[in-house]
Coordinates of all heavy atoms in Angstrom, one line a residue:
M1212 N 57.9 -3.5 170.6 CA 57.2 -4.1 171.7 C 56.7 -2.9 172.6 O 57.4 -1.9 172.7 CB 58.1 -5.0 172.5 CG 58.6 -6.2 171.7 SD 59.7 -7.2 172.7 CE 59.0 -8.8 172.3
K1213 N 55.6 -3.2 173.3 CA 55.0 -2.2 174.2 C 54.7 -2.9 175.6 O 54.4 -4.1 175.7 CB 53.6 -1.7 173.6 CG 53.7 -1.1 172.3 CD 54.4 0.3 172.3 CE 54.3 1.0 171.0 NZ 54.9 2.2 171.0
T1214 N 54.9 -2.1 176.6 CA 54.5 -2.6 177.9 C 53.0 -2.3 178.0 O 52.4 -1.4 177.4 CB 55.2 -1.8 179.1 OG1 54.9 -0.4 178.9 CG2 56.7 -2.1 179.0
I1215 N 52.3 -3.2 178.8 CA 50.9 -3.2 179.0 C 50.6 -3.2 180.5 O 51.4 -3.7 181.3 CB 50.1 -4.3 178.2 CG1 50.7 -5.7 178.7 CG2 50.3 -4.1 176.7 CD1 49.9 -6.9 178.2
T1216 N 49.4 -2.9 180.8 CA 48.9 -3.1 182.2 C 48.9 -4.6 182.3 O 48.3 -5.3 181.5 CB 47.5 -2.6 182.4 OG1 47.5 -1.1 182.2 CG2 47.0 -2.9 183.8
P1217 N 49.6 -5.2 183.3 CA 49.7 -6.7 183.4 C 48.4 -7.3 183.5 O 47.4 -6.9 184.1 CB 50.5 -6.9 184.7 CG 51.3 -5.6 184.9 CD 50.3 -4.5 184.4
I1218 N 48.3 -8.5 182.8 CA 47.1 -9.3 182.8 C 47.5 -10.8 183.2 O 48.6 -11.2 182.9 CB 46.4 -9.3 181.5 CG1 47.2 -9.9 180.3 CG2 45.9 -7.9 181.2 CD1 46.4 -10.2 179.1
S1219 N 46.6 -11.5 183.8 CA 46.9 -12.9 184.1 C 46.5 -13.8 183.0 O 45.4 -13.7 182.4 CB 46.1 -13.3 185.4 OG 46.5 -12.5 186.5
I1220 N 47.4 -14.8 182.7 CA 47.1 -15.8 181.7 C 47.4 -17.2 182.2 O 48.4 -17.4 182.9 CB 48.0 -15.5 180.5 CG1 47.6 -14.2 179.8 CG2 47.9 -16.6 179.4 CD1 48.5 -13.8 178.6
W1221 N 46.5 -18.1 182.0 CA 46.7 -19.5 182.4 C 47.7 -20.1 181.4 O 47.5 -20.1 180.2 CB 45.3 -20.2 182.3 CG 45.4 -21.6 182.8 CD1 45.4 -22.7 182.0 CD2 45.4 -22.1 184.1 NE1 45.4 -23.8 182.8 CE2 45.4 -23.5 184.1 CE3 45.3 -21.4 185.4 CZ2 45.4 -24.2 185.3 CZ3 45.4 -22.2 186.5 CH2 45.4 -23.6 186.4
D1222 N 48.8 -20.6 181.9 CA 49.8 -21.2 181.1 C 50.3 -22.5 181.7 O 51.0 -22.5 182.7 CB 51.0 -20.2 180.9 CG 52.1 -20.7 180.1 OD1 51.8 -21.1 178.9 OD2 53.3 -20.6 180.5
N1223 N 50.0 -23.6 181.0 CA 50.5 -24.9 181.5 C 50.3 -25.2 182.9 O 51.1 -25.6 183.7 CB 52.0 -25.1 181.2 CG 52.3 -25.1 179.7 OD1 51.6 -25.6 178.9 ND2 53.4 -24.5 179.3
G1224 N 49.0 -24.9 183.3 CA 48.6 -25.3 184.7 C 49.0 -24.2 185.8 O 48.7 -24.5 187.0
T1225 N 49.5 -23.1 185.4 CA 49.8 -22.0 186.4 C 49.3 -20.7 185.8 O 49.2 -20.5 184.6 CB 51.3 -21.9 186.7 OG1 52.0 -21.6 185.5 CG2 51.8 -23.2 187.3
V1226 N 49.1 -19.7 186.7 CA 48.7 -18.4 186.2 C 50.0 -17.6 186.1 O 50.8 -17.5 187.1 CB 47.7 -17.7 187.2 CG1 47.5 -16.3 186.8 CG2 46.5 -18.6 187.3
Q1227 N 50.2 -17.0 184.9 CA 51.4 -16.2 184.7 C 50.9 -14.8 184.4 O 49.8 -14.5 184.0 CB 52.2 -16.7 183.4 CG 52.6 -18.2 183.5 CD 53.7 -18.3 184.6 OE1 54.6 -17.5 184.7 NE2 53.7 -19.4 185.3
E1228 N 51.8 -13.8 184.5 CA 51.5 -12.4 184.2 C 52.2 -11.9 183.0 O 53.4 -11.9 182.9 CB 51.9 -11.6 185.4 CG 51.5 -10.1 185.3 CD 51.8 -9.4 186.6 OE1 52.9 -8.8 186.7 OE2 50.9 -9.3 187.5
A1229 N 51.3 -11.5 182.0 CA 51.9 -10.9 180.8 C 51.9 -9.4 181.0 O 51.0 -8.8 181.5 CB 51.0 -11.3 179.6
S1230 N 53.1 -8.9 180.6 CA 53.3 -7.4 180.7 C 53.8 -6.7 179.5 O 54.1 -5.6 179.5 CB 54.1 -7.1 182.0 OG 55.4 -7.7 181.8
V1231 N 54.1 -7.5 178.4 CA 54.6 -7.0 177.2 C 53.8 -7.5 176.0 O 53.5 -8.7 175.9 CB 56.1 -7.3 177.0 CG1 56.6 -6.9 175.6 CG2 56.9 -6.7 178.1
L1232 N 53.5 -6.6 175.1 CA 52.8 -6.9 173.8 C 53.7 -6.7 172.7 O 54.4 -5.7 172.6 CB 51.5 -6.0 173.7 CG 50.9 -6.0 172.3 CD1 50.2 -7.4 172.0 CD2 49.8 -4.9 172.2
N1233 N 53.8 -7.7 171.8 CA 54.5 -7.5 170.6 C 53.5 -7.7 169.4 O 52.6 -8.6 169.5 CB 55.7 -8.5 170.4 CG 56.5 -8.2 169.2 OD1 56.6 -7.0 168.8 ND2 57.2 -9.2 168.6
T1234 N 53.6 -6.9 168.4 CA 52.7 -7.1 167.2 C 53.4 -6.6 166.0 O 54.3 -5.7 166.0 CB 51.4 -6.4 167.4 OG1 50.5 -6.8 166.4 CG2 51.5 -4.9 167.4
Y1235 N 53.1 -7.2 164.8 CA 53.6 -6.7 163.6 C 52.7 -7.2 162.5 O 52.0 -8.2 162.6 CB 55.1 -7.1 163.3 CG 55.4 -8.6 163.5 CD1 55.2 -9.5 162.5 CD2 55.9 -9.0 164.7 CE1 55.6 -10.8 162.7 CE2 56.2 -10.3 164.9 CZ 56.1 -11.2 163.9 OH 56.4 -12.5 164.1
A1236 N 52.7 -6.4 161.4 CA 51.8 -6.8 160.2 C 52.5 -8.0 159.5 O 53.7 -8.0 159.2 CB 51.7 -5.7 159.3
I1237 N 51.7 -9.0 159.2 CA 52.2 -10.2 158.5 C 51.6 -10.3 157.1 O 52.2 -11.0 156.3 CB 51.9 -11.5 159.3 CG1 50.4 -11.7 159.6 CG2 52.8 -11.6 160.6 CD1 50.1 -13.1 160.2
N1238 N 50.6 -9.6 156.8 CA 50.0 -9.6 155.5 C 49.2 -8.3 155.3 O 48.3 -8.0 156.1 CB 49.1 -10.8 155.3 CG 48.6 -10.9 153.9 OD1 49.2 -10.3 153.0 ND2 47.5 -11.6 153.7
V1239 N 49.6 -7.5 154.3 CA 48.9 -6.3 154.1 C 48.4 -6.3 152.6 O 49.2 -6.5 151.7 CB 49.8 -5.0 154.3 CG1 49.0 -3.7 153.9 CG2 50.2 -5.0 155.8
T1240 N 47.1 -6.1 152.4 CA 46.6 -6.0 151.1 C 46.2 -4.5 150.9 O 45.3 -4.0 151.5 CB 45.3 -6.9 150.9 OG1 45.6 -8.2 151.2 CG2 44.8 -6.8 149.5
L1241 N 47.0 -3.8 150.1 CA 46.8 -2.4 150.0 C 45.4 -2.0 149.6 O 44.8 -2.6 148.8 CB 47.8 -1.8 148.9 CG 49.3 -2.0 149.3 CD1 50.2 -1.4 148.2 CD2 49.6 -1.3 150.6
N1242 N 45.0 -0.9 150.3 CA 43.6 -0.4 150.1 C 42.5 -1.3 150.5 O 41.4 -1.2 150.1 CB 43.4 0.1 148.7 CG 44.3 1.2 148.3 OD1 44.5 2.1 149.1 ND2 44.8 1.1 147.1
S1243 N 42.9 -2.4 151.3 CA 41.8 -3.3 151.7 C 41.9 -3.8 153.1 O 41.0 -3.6 153.9 CB 42.0 -4.5 150.8 OG 41.1 -5.6 151.1
S1244 N 43.0 -4.4 153.5 CA 43.1 -5.0 154.9 C 44.5 -5.3 155.3 O 45.4 -5.3 154.5 CB 42.3 -6.3 154.9 OG 42.8 -7.3 154.0
A1245 N 44.6 -5.7 156.6 CA 45.9 -6.1 157.1 C 45.7 -7.2 158.1 O 44.7 -7.2 158.8 CB 46.6 -4.9 157.7
T1246 N 46.6 -8.1 158.2 CA 46.6 -9.1 159.3 C 47.8 -8.9 160.2 O 48.9 -8.7 159.7 CB 46.6 -10.5 158.7 OG1 45.5 -10.7 157.8 CG2 46.5 -11.6 159.7
F1247 N 47.6 -8.9 161.4 CA 48.7 -8.7 162.4 C 48.9 -10.0 163.2 O 47.9 -10.6 163.7 CB 48.3 -7.5 163.4 CG 48.2 -6.2 162.7 CD1 47.0 -5.8 162.2 CD2 49.3 -5.4 162.6 CE1 46.9 -4.6 161.6 CE2 49.2 -4.2 162.0 CZ 48.0 -3.7 161.5
Y1248 N 50.2 -10.3 163.5 CA 50.5 -11.3 164.5 C 50.7 -10.5 165.8 O 51.1 -9.4 165.8 CB 51.9 -11.9 164.2 CG 52.5 -12.5 165.3 CD1 52.2 -13.8 165.7 CD2 53.5 -11.8 166.1 CE1 52.7 -14.4 166.8 CE2 54.0 -12.4 167.2 CZ 53.7 -13.7 167.6 OH 54.2 -14.3 168.7
W1249 N 50.2 -11.2 166.9 CA 50.4 -10.5 168.2 C 50.9 -11.6 169.2 O 50.6 -12.8 169.0 CB 49.2 -9.9 168.8 CG 48.0 -10.8 168.9 CD1 47.0 -11.1 168.0 CD2 47.7 -11.7 170.0 NE1 46.1 -12.0 168.4 CE2 46.5 -12.4 169.7 CE3 48.3 -11.9 171.2 CZ2 46.0 -13.3 170.6 CZ3 47.7 -12.8 172.1 CH2 46.6 -13.5 171.8
G1250 N 51.7 -11.2 170.2 CA 52.2 -12.1 171.2 C 52.2 -11.4 172.6 O 52.5 -10.2 172.6
L1251 N 51.9 -12.1 173.6 CA 52.0 -11.5 175.0 C 53.0 -12.3 175.7 O 53.1 -13.5 175.7 CB 50.6 -11.7 175.7 CG 49.4 -11.0 175.1 CD1 48.1 -11.3 175.8 CD2 49.7 -9.5 175.2
F1252 N 53.9 -11.5 176.4 CA 55.1 -12.0 177.1 C 55.1 -11.7 178.5 O 54.7 -10.6 179.0 CB 56.3 -11.5 176.3 CG 56.4 -11.9 174.9 CD1 55.8 -11.1 173.9 CD2 57.2 -13.0 174.5 CE1 55.9 -11.5 172.6 CE2 57.2 -13.4 173.2 CZ 56.6 -12.7 172.2
S1253 N 55.7 -12.6 179.3 CA 56.1 -12.3 180.7 C 57.5 -11.7 180.8 O 58.3 -11.9 179.8 CB 56.0 -13.5 181.6 OG 56.9 -14.5 181.1
T1254 N 57.8 -11.1 181.8 CA 59.1 -10.6 182.0 C 59.7 -11.0 183.4 O 58.9 -11.2 184.3 CB 59.2 -9.0 181.9 OG1 58.4 -8.5 183.0 CG2 58.8 -8.5 180.6
V1255 N 61.0 -11.2 183.5 CA 61.7 -11.4 184.8 C 62.8 -10.4 184.8 O 63.7 -10.3 183.9 CB 62.3 -12.8 184.8 CG1 63.1 -13.0 186.0 CG2 61.1 -13.8 184.8
D1256 N 62.8 -9.6 185.9 CA 63.8 -8.5 186.0 C 63.9 -7.6 184.8 O 65.0 -7.2 184.4 CB 65.2 -9.1 186.3 CG 65.2 -9.8 187.7 OD1 64.4 -9.4 188.6 OD2 66.0 -10.8 187.8
G1257 N 62.7 -7.3 184.2 CA 62.7 -6.5 183.0 C 63.0 -7.1 181.7 O 62.8 -6.5 180.6
Q1258 N 63.5 -8.3 181.7 CA 63.8 -9.1 180.5 C 62.7 -9.9 180.0 O 62.0 -10.5 180.9 CB 65.0 -10.0 180.7 CG 66.3 -9.3 181.1 CD 67.1 -8.8 179.9 OE1 66.6 -8.8 178.8 NE2 68.3 -8.3 180.2
I1259 N 62.5 -10.0 178.7 CA 61.4 -10.9 178.2 C 61.8 -12.3 178.6 O 62.9 -12.8 178.5 CB 61.4 -10.9 176.7 CG1 61.0 -9.5 176.1 CG2 60.4 -11.9 176.1 CD1 59.7 -9.0 176.6
A1260 N 60.7 -13.0 179.2 CA 61.0 -14.4 179.7 C 60.2 -15.4 178.9 O 60.9 -16.3 178.3 CB 60.5 -14.5 181.2
N1261 N 58.9 -15.4 178.8 CA 58.1 -16.4 178.1 C 57.0 -15.8 177.3 O 56.4 -14.8 177.7 CB 57.5 -17.4 179.2 CG 58.5 -18.2 179.9 OD1 59.4 -18.7 179.4 ND2 58.3 -18.2 181.2
Q1262 N 56.8 -16.5 176.2 CA 55.6 -16.1 175.4 C 54.4 -16.9 176.0 O 54.5 -18.1 176.1 CB 55.8 -16.4 173.9 CG 54.6 -16.0 173.1 CD 54.8 -16.1 171.6 OE1 55.9 -16.0 171.2 NE2 53.8 -16.4 170.9
L1263 N 53.4 -16.2 176.4 CA 52.3 -16.8 177.1 C 51.0 -17.0 176.2 O 50.2 -17.8 176.5 CB 51.9 -16.0 178.3 CG 53.0 -15.7 179.3 CD1 52.5 -14.8 180.4 CD2 53.5 -17.0 179.9
S1264 N 50.9 -16.2 175.2 CA 49.8 -16.3 174.3 C 50.2 -15.6 172.9 O 51.1 -14.7 172.9 CB 48.6 -15.5 174.9 OG 47.4 -15.7 174.1
Q1265 N 49.5 -16.1 171.9 CA 49.8 -15.5 170.5 C 48.6 -15.7 169.7 O 47.7 -16.5 169.9 CB 51.0 -16.1 169.9 CG 50.8 -17.6 169.6 CD 52.1 -18.2 168.9 OE1 52.9 -17.4 168.4 NE2 52.1 -19.5 168.9
G1266 N 48.6 -15.0 168.6 CA 47.5 -15.1 167.6 C 47.6 -14.1 166.5 O 48.6 -13.4 166.4
N1267 N 46.6 -14.1 165.6 CA 46.5 -13.2 164.5 C 45.2 -12.5 164.6 O 44.2 -13.1 165.1 CB 46.6 -13.9 163.2 CG 47.9 -14.6 163.0 OD1 49.0 -14.1 163.3 ND2 47.9 -15.8 162.4
L1268 N 45.1 -11.3 164.1 CA 43.8 -10.6 164.0 C 43.9 -9.7 162.7 O 45.0 -9.3 162.3 CB 43.4 -9.8 165.2 CG 44.3 -8.7 165.7 CD1 43.9 -7.4 165.1 CD2 44.2 -8.6 167.2
S1269 N 42.7 -9.5 162.2 CA 42.6 -8.7 160.9 C 42.1 -7.3 161.2 O 41.3 -7.1 162.1 CB 41.7 -9.4 160.0 OG 42.2 -10.7 159.6
M1270 N 42.5 -6.4 160.3 CA 41.9 -5.0 160.3 C 41.4 -4.8 158.9 O 42.1 -5.0 157.9 CB 43.1 -4.1 160.6 CG 42.7 -2.6 160.5 SD 44.2 -1.5 160.5 CE 44.7 -1.5 162.1
S1271 N 40.2 -4.3 158.8 CA 39.7 -4.0 157.5 C 38.7 -2.8 157.6 O 38.4 -2.4 158.7 CB 39.0 -5.2 156.8 OG 38.0 -5.7 157.6
G1272 N 38.1 -2.5 156.5 CA 37.0 -1.4 156.5 C 37.5 -0.1 157.1 O 38.6 0.4 156.7
E1273 N 36.7 0.5 157.9 CA 37.0 1.8 158.4 C 38.3 1.9 159.2 O 39.1 2.8 159.1 CB 35.8 2.3 159.3 CG 36.0 3.7 159.9 CD 35.9 4.8 158.9 OE1 35.3 4.6 157.8 OE2 36.4 5.9 159.1
A1274 N 38.5 0.8 160.0 CA 39.8 0.8 160.8 C 41.0 0.8 159.9 O 42.0 1.5 160.1 CB 39.8 -0.5 161.7
Y1275 N 40.9 0.1 158.8 CA 42.1 0.0 157.9 C 42.3 1.4 157.2 O 43.4 1.8 157.1 CB 41.8 -1.1 156.8 CG 43.0 -1.1 155.9 CD1 44.2 -1.8 156.2 CD2 43.0 -0.5 154.6 CE1 45.3 -1.8 155.3 CE2 44.1 -0.5 153.8 CZ 45.2 -1.2 154.1 OH 46.3 -1.2 153.3
T1276 N 41.2 2.0 156.8 CA 41.4 3.4 156.2 C 41.9 4.4 157.1 O 42.5 5.4 156.7 CB 40.1 3.8 155.5 OG1 39.1 4.0 156.5 CG2 39.6 2.9 154.4
Q1277 N 41.7 4.2 158.4 CA 42.2 5.2 159.4 C 43.7 4.9 159.8 O 44.3 5.8 160.4 CB 41.4 5.2 160.6 CG 40.0 5.7 160.5 CD 39.2 5.7 161.7 OE1 39.6 5.7 162.8 NE2 37.8 5.9 161.5
W1278 N 44.2 3.8 159.4 CA 45.6 3.4 159.8 C 46.5 4.2 158.9 O 46.8 3.8 157.8 CB 45.8 1.9 159.6 CG 47.1 1.4 159.9 CD1 48.1 2.0 160.7 CD2 47.8 0.2 159.3 NE1 49.2 1.2 160.7 CE2 49.1 0.1 159.8 CE3 47.3 -0.7 158.4 CZ2 49.9 -0.9 159.5 CZ3 48.2 -1.7 158.0 CH2 49.5 -1.8 158.6
T1279 N 47.1 5.3 159.5 CA 48.1 6.1 158.7 C 49.4 6.1 159.5 O 50.4 6.5 158.9 CB 47.6 7.5 158.5 OG1 47.3 8.1 159.8 CG2 46.3 7.5 157.6
I1280 N 49.4 5.8 160.7 CA 50.6 5.8 161.6 C 50.7 4.5 162.4 O 49.6 4.0 162.7 CB 50.8 7.1 162.4 CG1 49.6 7.2 163.4 CG2 50.9 8.3 161.6 CD1 49.8 8.3 164.4
D1281 N 51.9 4.1 162.8 CA 52.1 2.9 163.5 C 51.3 2.8 164.9 O 50.8 1.9 165.3 CB 53.6 2.6 163.8 CG 54.3 2.2 162.5 OD1 53.6 1.8 161.5 OD2 55.5 2.2 162.5
S1282 N 51.3 4.0 165.5 CA 50.6 4.1 166.8 C 49.2 3.7 166.7 O 48.6 3.1 167.7 CB 50.8 5.4 167.5 OG 50.2 6.4 166.7
Y1283 N 48.5 4.0 165.6 CA 47.1 3.6 165.4 C 47.0 2.0 165.4 O 46.1 1.5 166.0 CB 46.5 4.2 164.1 CG 45.1 3.8 163.9 CD1 44.1 4.5 164.5 CD2 44.8 2.7 163.1 CE1 42.7 4.1 164.3 CE2 43.5 2.3 162.9 CZ 42.5 3.0 163.5 OH 41.2 2.6 163.3
A1284 N 47.9 1.4 164.7 CA 47.9 -0.1 164.6 C 48.1 -0.7 166.0 O 47.4 -1.7 166.4 CB 48.9 -0.6 163.6
W1285 N 49.1 -0.2 166.8 CA 49.3 -0.7 168.1 C 48.0 -0.5 168.9 O 47.6 -1.5 169.6 CB 50.4 0.1 168.8 CG 51.8 -0.3 168.4 CD1 52.6 0.3 167.6 CD2 52.5 -1.5 168.9 NE1 53.8 -0.4 167.4 CE2 53.7 -1.5 168.2 CE3 52.1 -2.5 169.7 CZ2 54.7 -2.5 168.5 CZ3 53.1 -3.5 169.9 CH2 54.3 -3.5 169.3
E1286 N 47.4 0.6 168.9 CA 46.1 0.8 169.7 C 45.0 -0.1 169.2 O 44.2 -0.6 170.0 CB 45.8 2.3 169.7 CG 46.6 3.2 170.5 CD 46.6 2.8 172.0 OE1 45.6 2.4 172.5 OE2 47.7 3.0 172.6
Y1287 N 45.0 -0.3 167.9 CA 43.9 -1.2 167.3 C 44.1 -2.6 167.9 O 43.1 -3.2 168.4 CB 44.0 -1.2 165.8 CG 43.0 -2.1 165.2 CD1 41.7 -1.7 165.0 CD2 43.3 -3.4 164.9 CE1 40.8 -2.6 164.4 CE2 42.4 -4.3 164.3 CZ 41.1 -3.9 164.1 OH 40.2 -4.7 163.5
V1288 N 45.3 -3.1 167.8 CA 45.6 -4.5 168.3 C 45.3 -4.5 169.8 O 44.6 -5.5 170.3 CB 47.0 -4.9 168.1 CG1 47.4 -6.2 168.8 CG2 47.2 -5.0 166.5
A1289 N 45.7 -3.5 170.6 CA 45.5 -3.6 172.0 C 44.0 -3.5 172.3 O 43.5 -4.3 173.2 CB 46.2 -2.4 172.7
T1290 N 43.3 -2.7 171.7 CA 41.8 -2.6 171.9 C 41.1 -3.9 171.6 O 40.3 -4.3 172.3 CB 41.2 -1.4 171.0 OG1 41.9 -0.2 171.5 CG2 39.8 -1.3 171.2
Q1291 N 41.5 -4.5 170.5 CA 40.9 -5.8 170.1 C 41.1 -6.9 171.1 O 40.3 -7.8 171.3 CB 41.4 -6.3 168.7 CG 41.0 -5.3 167.6 CD 39.5 -5.2 167.4 OE1 38.8 -6.1 167.3 NE2 39.0 -4.0 167.5
L1292 N 42.3 -6.8 171.8 CA 42.7 -7.8 172.8 C 42.3 -7.3 174.2 O 42.6 -8.0 175.2 CB 44.2 -8.1 172.7 CG 44.7 -8.6 171.4 CD1 46.2 -8.7 171.4 CD2 44.1 -10.0 171.2
N1293 N 41.6 -6.2 174.3 CA 41.2 -5.6 175.6 C 42.4 -5.4 176.5 O 42.4 -5.7 177.7 CB 40.2 -6.5 176.3 CG 39.4 -5.8 177.4 OD1 39.2 -4.6 177.3 ND2 39.0 -6.5 178.4
L1294 N 43.5 -4.8 176.0 CA 44.7 -4.5 176.7 C 44.9 -3.0 176.8 O 44.4 -2.2 175.9 CB 45.9 -5.1 176.0 CG 45.9 -6.6 175.8 CD1 47.1 -7.0 174.9 CD2 46.0 -7.3 177.1
V1295 N 45.7 -2.5 177.7 CA 46.0 -1.1 177.9 C 47.5 -0.9 177.7 O 48.3 -1.5 178.5 CB 45.6 -0.5 179.2 CG1 46.0 0.9 179.4 CG2 44.0 -0.7 179.4
I1296 N 48.0 -0.2 176.7 CA 49.4 0.0 176.5 C 49.8 1.1 177.4 O 49.1 2.2 177.6 CB 49.7 0.5 175.0 CG1 49.4 -0.7 174.1 CG2 51.1 1.0 174.9 CD1 49.5 -0.3 172.6
T1297 N 50.9 0.9 178.2 CA 51.4 1.8 179.1 C 52.7 2.5 178.7 O 53.1 3.5 179.3 CB 51.6 1.1 180.5 OG1 52.6 0.1 180.3 CG2 50.3 0.6 181.1
G1298 N 53.4 2.0 177.6 CA 54.6 2.6 177.2 C 55.4 1.7 176.2 O 54.9 0.6 175.9
D1299 N 56.5 2.1 175.8 CA 57.4 1.3 175.0 C 58.2 0.4 175.9 O 58.6 0.7 177.0 CB 58.4 2.2 174.3 CG 57.7 3.0 173.2 OD1 56.8 2.6 172.6 OD2 58.2 4.2 173.0
Y1300 N 58.4 -0.9 175.4 CA 59.3 -1.8 176.2 C 60.7 -1.4 175.9 O 61.1 -1.4 174.7 CB 59.0 -3.2 175.7 CG 60.0 -4.2 176.3 CD1 60.0 -4.5 177.6 CD2 61.0 -4.8 175.5 CE1 61.0 -5.4 178.2 CE2 62.0 -5.6 176.0 CZ 61.9 -5.9 177.3 OH 62.9 -6.8 177.9
V1301 N 61.5 -1.2 176.9 CA 62.9 -0.9 176.8 C 63.6 -1.9 177.6 O 63.5 -2.0 178.8 CB 63.2 0.5 177.3 CG1 64.7 0.8 177.2 CG2 62.4 1.6 176.6
P1302 N 64.4 -2.8 176.9 CA 65.1 -3.8 177.7 C 66.1 -3.2 178.6 O 66.7 -2.2 178.3 CB 65.8 -4.7 176.6 CG 65.5 -4.0 175.3 CD 64.6 -2.9 175.5
P1303 N 66.3 -3.8 179.8 CA 67.3 -3.2 180.7 C 68.7 -3.4 180.2 O 69.0 -4.3 179.5 CB 67.1 -4.1 182.0 CG 66.4 -5.3 181.6 CD 65.7 -5.0 180.3
A1304 N 69.5 -2.4 180.6 CA 70.9 -2.4 180.2 C 71.6 -3.6 180.9 O 71.4 -3.9 182.1 CB 71.6 -1.2 180.5
V1305 N 72.5 -4.3 180.2 CA 73.2 -5.5 180.8 C 74.5 -5.0 181.3 O 75.2 -4.3 180.8 CB 73.4 -6.6 179.7 CG1 74.0 -7.8 180.3 CG2 72.0 -7.0 179.1

């Protein structure tokens, strides 16, 4: 999970603030393409509170061939969703 510059999302009749992005590969076809699941989450006191939005997106072609490290995939997803990653999400100590 990564922290992002907070964005406003309409959720069940109210505007909520998403500040965490989660993503992972759900389908990879070697030498061809990958599909990623993504979710945007709100936080309360640093803890994950609610999932506000989710979806899938695909990576193929030049983008897929450039994917050699995880940070590239994170940036790809963030760019496709018009988000800015600000760091790693670290849950607060309980």
Side-chain angles (χ1 to χ4, degrees):
M1212 294 182 140
K1213 302 287 186 181
T1214 58
I1215 57 171
T1216 300
I1218 62 165
S1219 297
I1220 295 179
W1221 185 259
D1222 180 51
N1223 293 324
T1225 62
V1226 175
Q1227 303 290 322
E1228 188 173 88
S1230 58
V1231 174
L1232 167 67
N1233 188 27
T1234 191
Y1235 50 88
I1237 57 174
N1238 186 20
V1239 176
T1240 304
L1241 297 177
N1242 297 318
S1243 177
S1244 64
T1246 302
F1247 295 91
Y1248 160 83
W1249 59 268
L1251 294 173
F1252 298 85
S1253 64
T1254 59
V1255 174
D1256 297 328
Q1258 298 276 8
I1259 298 295
N1261 295 312
Q1262 182 171 331
L1263 303 175
S1264 186
Q1265 66 178 343
N1267 298 318
L1268 61 88
S1269 296
M1270 174 195 286
S1271 61
E1273 182 71 21
Y1275 181 81
T1276 60
Q1277 290 182 18
W1278 176 27
T1279 59
I1280 59 174
D1281 288 346
S1282 61
Y1283 179 85
W1285 279 104
E1286 286 299 325
Y1287 178 84
V1288 170
T1290 299
Q1291 296 301 305
L1292 299 174
N1293 200 28
L1294 303 171
V1295 176
I1296 293 174
T1297 57
D1299 291 325
Y1300 171 72
V1301 179
V1305 181

